[in-house]
Amino acid sequence: MAETHRTRLLILGAGPAGYTAAIYAARAGLEPILVAGLQPGGQLTITTDVENYPGFAAAVQGPWLMDQMRAQAEHVGTRIIQDVVTEVALGARPFRAKGDSGDLYEASALVIATGAQARWLGIPGEKELSGFGVSACATCDGFFFRGKEVAVIGGGNSAVEEALYLAGLASKVTLIHRRDSLRAERIMQERLFKHPKISVMWNTTVEAALANEDRFPALRALKLKDIVGGGHFELPVHGMFVAIGHDPATALFRGQIETDEDGYIVTEKGSARTSVPGVFAAGDVQDRIYRQAVTAAGSGCMAALDAEKWLAHIPDDAPSPAAYDAVDA
C-alpha cells in the first residue's frame, strides 16, 4: 500500500552530493529522507580505482566509497528509501514528489542531487546494440570483452579512464576522437600513450554501429569517417564504449526551476540556492565545470547548510514558495 512520507528536508539522489547533504542535514537535526533513485551511489558505483578523493593514500574502489558514505548517512540519522521519483511539484509548499512505488513525499525543503546520465552518440545501431556490444560503462561491462578488441569514443578524462581500464581486460583498445588532441588531464594522457595495448585514432567520427548477421545480434564493427580525408572505413571490434560526457538528470524539474541551455540547474553564486526558494541543488546536476566527486560532496555540504539556515527562518505553516521571497537564506 502506498505511503505518504513527510520530512523537513527531502533529498533526491544518492551520489556524493546527496549523501553528504544527508550527513550534514541529519547532524543538524533535520531528520532528512533521501530517495536513492535509479543508481544508488551515483557514478562512483561504476568506477574502480578512485585516486583523487582526499583522505586515502592508496586508491579506493568507487562502490566501497559510496557504501561508506551511505553507512555514515544512515548512522547519523538519515532515512534512505529505495524508490525512483517520477513526478515533482515545486509550486506550493510543502513540496511534493511521487515515487514509482506509488509513495508520496512531502517536504518543507528539497535538495536536488540527481546527478547526470551518460550521453550517447545517437548513431544507427547504437540503441539496438546496447547490451550487445555497445555500452557507456567499462567497469560494468568490460568483463565480457576479455581478450577481445574494443573501442572507446571520446577525448576527455572519462574516455581515457575507460580506455585504461579496458586495457587490463581487452586484447586491444582503440580510442577514437574527433579532434587531434585530447582534453584529458596530462598525467592521464601520459598513461594512455605509454600503454602498449592502446592506440589513438585522431580526427575520426563514428557513423554507425554495425551488427553481425547471426540470429542473436552483436556488434561486429564500427563505421568510421576520416574528418580530414573524408573517407569512410570499418573498424572490426567486439565492443564500443561511449564516453563523451553526461547530461544532467533534470527532466523532472524543467519548467519549474531555472536551468541553463544544457539543462543544468542554475544556482546562486557561492550557494546551493536555486530560483525556487526552499529548493537547493548540489553535485553534477548543477556543476558543468568541475564534475568531481569531491566537488559534488562539497556542494552537498553547502546545500544542507543553506537548507538548514533557510528552514530556521520559515514557519512550518508558510503557504507557498512565494511567501519566502523576502527571506535571506
Side-chain angles (χ1 to χ4, degrees), residues 17 20-21 24 111 267-273 280-282 286 295-309 329:
T20 304
Y24 274 79
V111 171
T267 54
E268 293 182 26
K269 186 175 181 180
S271 82
R273 294 190 293 268
F280 308 88
Q286 56 83 46
T295 53
S299 66
C301 166
M302 292 169 60
L305 295 177
D306 285 348
E308 178 190 7
K309 187 175 181 182

Side-chain angles (χ1 to χ4, degrees), residues 70-281:
R70 175 194 172 95
Q72 185 178 5
E74 289 182 313
H75 176 72
V76 294
T78 302
R79 182 182 175 193
I80 299 176
I81 299 177
Q82 302 300 320
D83 200 355
V84 178
V85 170
T86 57
E87 299 177 29
V88 294
L90 305 182
R93 187 170 179 265
F95 303 118
R96 292 180 171 86
K98 182 178 181 180
D100 185 62
S101 64
D103 284 7
L104 299 176
Y105 303 88
E106 295 185 351
S108 301
L110 173 68
V111 171
I112 300 172
T114 46
Q117 300 168 337
R119 186 179 299 155
W120 295 92
L121 296 169
I123 57 174
E126 182 181 50
K127 183 177 180 181
E128 294 80 0
L129 291 172
S130 179
F132 298 94
V134 174
S135 172
C137 176
T139 52
C140 302
D141 302 321
F143 174 83
F144 301 108
F145 299 91
R146 289 179 301 169
K148 299 180 179 181
E149 296 189 8
V150 301
V152 176
I153 318 302
N157 283 342
S158 295
V160 173
E161 287 174 357
E162 299 273 271
L164 289 167
Y165 174 78
L166 288 166
L169 298 168
S171 61
K172 180 181 179 181
V173 179
T174 302
L175 181 70
I176 301 173
H177 187 40
R178 60 181 178 172
R179 297 189 175 92
D180 59 3
S181 62
L182 300 176
R183 303 185 310 277
E185 296 173 3
R186 184 167 298 278
I187 188 172
M188 298 186 65
Q189 291 190 43
E190 292 174 355
R191 293 178 186 174
L192 181 89
F193 296 141
K194 289 179 181 177
H195 203 292
K197 285 188 179 181
I198 301 175
S199 62
V200 181
M201 202 171 276
W202 305 105
N203 298 310
T204 303
T205 58
V206 184
E207 296 200 324
L210 306 176
N212 60 23
E213 297 179 357
D214 295 340
R215 180 179 177 183
F216 299 101
L219 179 70
R220 68 168 178 85
L222 303 180
K223 181 181 178 181
L224 305 178
K225 179 181 179 179
D226 180 347
I227 297 176
V228 177
H232 293 80
F233 58 100
E234 291 186 10
L235 176 69
V237 291
H238 294 95
M240 177 181 82
F241 293 84
V242 182
I244 57 172
H246 294 77
D247 292 314
T250 54
L252 279 173
F253 315 102
R254 288 172 190 162
Q256 302 187 70
I257 198 167
E258 184 183 358
T259 59
D260 67 14
E261 64 275 11
D262 293 320
Y264 289 88
I265 294 176
V266 175
T267 54
E268 293 182 26
K269 186 175 181 180
S271 82
R273 294 190 293 268
T274 71
S275 61
V276 178
V279 178
F280 308 88

Side-chain angles (χ1 to χ4, degrees), residues 4-17:
T4 297
H5 309 276
R6 296 181 175 88
T7 179
R8 296 190 71 196
L9 180 64
L10 178 65
I11 301 168
L12 302 182

Side-chain angles (χ1 to χ4, degrees), residues 51-75:
E51 298 179 312
N52 56 4
Y53 198 86
F56 304 96
V60 297
Q61 298 295 297
W64 176 86
L65 182 59
M66 298 318 300
D67 284 344
Q68 294 299 301
M69 288 190 187
R70 175 194 172 95
Q72 185 178 5
E74 289 182 313
H75 176 72

Side-chain angles (χ1 to χ4, degrees), residues 12-49:
L12 302 182
Y19 282 145
T20 304
I23 290 166
Y24 274 79
R27 294 185 74 252
L30 299 182
E31 299 181 338
I33 289 176
L34 184 151
V35 180
L38 278 173
Q39 190 178 18
Q43 294 180 51
L44 280 183
T45 60
I46 58 174
T47 302
T48 49
D49 291 345

